Amino acid sequence: MAAPDETGVRAGGVREVKSAARTLELLELLAARRNRPARLRELSEALGMPRSSCYAVLRTLTKYGWVRTDASGTLYGIGIRALLAGTTYLDTDPYVRIAKSALDRLGEQLDETFHLGRLSGWTWCTW
């Protein structure tokens, strides 16, 4: 994703919505941490976001299941809705469906496990 310029406009002339960008940055940070929950302070510092804003975004994402918390409500991790959105993408991507059937057949024939990877921008995505 192209970074916005100083006016908040990305390539193509679309103005960035700050709250949406913060929400996505937060979700991506939590996803990148895998199964290592983080505290509010750690997340807000990593994103350069005021703690009050970070907390409001976290509470909203928690309410809708995109973020989960521990029993004390002080540690945050990626939630079940992220999994559901990701599996929906996999279920509807025609390339994944084609590759999966070929990899499944190969796996049965060779008694090996295969993984599909695809470059997304400059980042590898694996399934």
Side-chain angles (χ1 to χ4, degrees):
M1 180 185 296
D5 66 16
E6 62 279 351
T7 64
V9 177
R10 292 193 179 279
V14 177
R15 186 160 190 264
E16 180 178 83
V17 177
K18 189 174 184 178
S19 60
R22 283 182 166 176
T23 300
L24 294 172
E25 289 169 354
L26 185 53
L27 286 170
E28 288 176 353
L29 176 60
L30 289 172
R33 293 179 58 82
R34 306 255 177 207
N35 197 28
R36 293 180 300 117
R39 296 189 184 283
L40 172 62
R41 176 183 298 251
E42 183 179 357
L43 295 170
S44 67
E45 287 175 0
L47 296 172
M49 184 188 308
R51 266 191 277 167
S52 59
S53 298
C54 190
Y55 180 74
V57 173
L58 284 167
R59 296 310 311 157
T60 302
L61 290 171
T62 300
K63 176 182 175 184
Y64 289 96
W66 287 87
V67 169
R68 62 181 166 79
T69 62
D70 67 340
S72 69
T74 60
L75 290 172
Y76 299 91
I78 198 75
I80 191 71
R81 296 291 302 172
L83 170 66
L84 297 174
T87 56
T88 298
Y89 173 82
L90 292 176
D91 292 343
T92 60
D93 185 324
Y95 299 109
V96 171
R97 187 173 32 255
I98 292 166
K100 183 177 178 347
S101 63
L103 293 176
D104 287 347
R105 283 192 310 275
L106 242 136
E108 288 173 15
Q109 292 170 359
L110 301 175
D111 195 29
E112 293 288 339
T113 301
F114 292 88
H115 298 276
L116 172 64
R118 179 168 55 190
L119 190 60
S120 173
W122 292 101
T123 306
W124 279 100
C125 299
T126 58
W127 297 277

